């Protein structure tokens, strides 16, 4: 669902699954006169973890900035999906192919109205991959509330579409559901290592959707309902290690907000790039549909 908080502020559910859940994300059509302190305060005021600010005064393509209560993010996947859905809805059109400027990057975006949802895809860009080589790797695993035997051997990978995060493959869904991180300790470890957070996941043995949880207390989000950029990072990792080129990732179940992200990855001369998709309810939304890839 969506709720209009003020004329230039709407909260939408990004990356819904089967017409439910998703991450409540504030989208502000911003005239660029707000201070960054005011931008940080919006999420706390409306009760969302993230806010996307679309600079309506800028020339095309629009500039979009993302904030949590802790400060500005370099990028935000589900925030991009939410912002582009709101822009399409405001335009009254049925489809939009264009670009979005965030920081020093320009992303290709596509938004399409499908019955009572809006489907958004964006190009994530090159994803840098490397092994987690920290000698004291046990510290971050313990901060996640895991024991060494809870993770799949040799499956700690650092992935960065601009900001590094740790991909942690755990043994099974029971282990994933039972995770209870020490958030203060995890925040300290992530800041020490320069990580946005940790994306813990389980792969389906039957090629079905992966299941994941994202912990990012270092940026003020103990557990993210959905982290679309990390789903793209997982797609890049799987292409690099198992030649799997597309994946669906289920998130948010532990928080009672079932969410889904679709990601595809491909090799390019510059490295592995990913494309990310999700569904958003616009203000007249009802049930969801399955995105076309």
């Amino acid at each position: 669902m969506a709720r209009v908080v003020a004329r230039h502020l709407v909260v939408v559910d990004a990356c819904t699954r089967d017409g439910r859940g998703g991450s409540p994300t504030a989208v502000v059509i911003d005239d660029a006169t707000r201070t960054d302190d005011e931008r940080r305060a919006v999420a706390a005021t409306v009760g969302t973890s993230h806010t996307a600010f679309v600079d309506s005064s800028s020339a095309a393509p629009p500039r979009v900035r993302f904030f949590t209560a802790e400060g500005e993010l370099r990028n935000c996947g589900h925030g991009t999906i939410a912002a582009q859905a709101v822009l399409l809805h405001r335009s009254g059109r049925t489809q939009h192919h264009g670009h979005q400027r965030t920081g020093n990057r320009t992303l290709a975006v596509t938004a399409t109205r499908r019955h009572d949802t809006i489907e958004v895809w964006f190009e994530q860009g090159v994803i840098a991959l490397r092994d987690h080589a920290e000698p004291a790797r046990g510290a971050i695993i313990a901060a996640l509330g895991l024991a060494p035997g809870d993770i799949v051997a040799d499956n700690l990978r650092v992935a960065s579409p601009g900001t590094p995060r740790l991909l942690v493959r755990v043994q099974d869904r029971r282990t994933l559901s039972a995770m209870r991180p020490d958030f203060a300790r995890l925040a300290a470890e992530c800041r020490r290592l320069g990580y946005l957070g940790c994306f813990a996941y389980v792969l389906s043995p039957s090629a079905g959707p992966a299941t994941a949880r994202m912990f990012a207390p270092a940026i003020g989000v103990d557990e993210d309902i959905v982290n679309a950029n990390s789903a793209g990072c997982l797609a890049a990792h799987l292409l690099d290690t198992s030649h799997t080129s597309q994946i669906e990732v289920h998130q948010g179940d532990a928080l009672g907000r079932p969410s889904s992200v679709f990601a595809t990855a491909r090799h390019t001369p510059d490295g592995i790039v990913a494309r990310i998709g999700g569904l958003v309810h616009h203000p007249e939304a009802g049930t969801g549909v399955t995105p076309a890839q």
Side-chain angles (χ1 to χ4, degrees):
M1 298 300 290
R3 56 188 172 97
V4 178
V5 180
R7 179 183 176 190
H8 298 297
L9 194 163
V10 62
V11 177
V12 298
D13 295 332
C15 303
T16 57
R17 189 197 317 160
D18 298 326
R20 300 185 300 119
S23 179
T25 306
V27 179
V28 178
I29 305 302
D30 190 21
D31 61 6
T33 63
R34 297 171 189 260
T35 67
D36 285 357
D37 285 342
E38 290 172 334
R39 292 187 175 96
R40 286 200 305 270
V42 169
T45 301
V46 300
T48 64
S49 59
H50 297 70
T51 306
F53 293 87
V54 182
D55 185 354
S56 59
S57 66
S58 65
R63 182 187 185 204
V64 183
R65 299 175 67 189
F66 303 102
F67 283 79
T68 68
E70 293 292 316
E72 186 169 10
L73 302 177
R74 186 172 295 181
N75 53 56
C76 177
H78 72 271
T80 292
I81 290 171
Q84 292 300 323
V86 169
L87 287 173
L88 180 69
H89 180 66
R90 286 170 60 92
S91 76
R93 292 180 291 175
T94 58
Q95 190 172 67
H96 168 72
H97 295 277
H99 295 83
Q100 169 185 303
R101 290 186 296 131
T102 295
N104 61 357
R105 300 178 63 197
T106 299
L107 311 176
V109 296
T110 300
T112 306
R113 192 183 299 271
R114 297 191 183 280
H115 305 296
D116 42 21
T117 60
I118 291 176
E119 176 186 332
V120 178
W121 286 83
F122 69 92
E123 300 289 343
Q124 191 177 22
V126 176
I127 299 170
L129 297 167
R130 60 180 172 85
D131 292 334
H132 174 78
E134 168 71 16
R137 59 185 261 174
I140 199 163
I141 297 305
L144 283 166
L146 297 172
D150 292 330
I151 63 173
V152 178
D154 300 321
N155 269 270
L156 288 178
R157 203 87 189 274
V158 180
S160 177
T163 305
R165 78 277 327 272
L166 186 64
L167 308 181
V168 181
R169 182 179 175 185
V170 299
Q171 293 285 1
D172 49 47
R173 290 187 179 182
R174 179 178 296 181
T175 302
L176 184 71
S177 297
M179 288 179 67
R180 298 293 183 270
D182 180 332
F183 290 119
R185 185 178 178 186
L186 183 61
E189 286 297 314
C190 286
R191 292 188 183 111
R192 180 177 68 85
L193 296 165
Y195 296 162
L196 173 80
C198 295
F199 189 71
Y201 67 94
V202 177
L203 296 179
S204 169
S206 60
T211 306
R213 297 174 70 183
M214 177 64 175
F215 305 104
I219 62 168
V221 183
D222 284 349
E223 182 168 358
D224 212 350
I225 292 172
V226 62
N227 194 283
N229 276 327
S230 292
C233 290
L234 178 57
H237 163 66
L238 293 177
L239 179 62
D240 186 51
T241 56
S242 65
H243 308 296
T244 300
S245 62
Q246 62 184 37
I247 192 169
E248 178 182 354
V249 181
H250 287 179
Q251 302 174 50
D253 296 273
L255 300 174
R257 301 286 305 185
S259 306
S260 186
V261 179
F262 300 84
T264 64
R266 72 182 193 279
H267 290 284
T268 74
D270 297 321
I272 295 176
V273 301
R275 185 169 180 256
I276 298 172
L279 296 172
V280 173
H281 287 299
H282 52 76
E284 289 81 25
T287 58
V289 296
T290 302
Q293 296 182 23

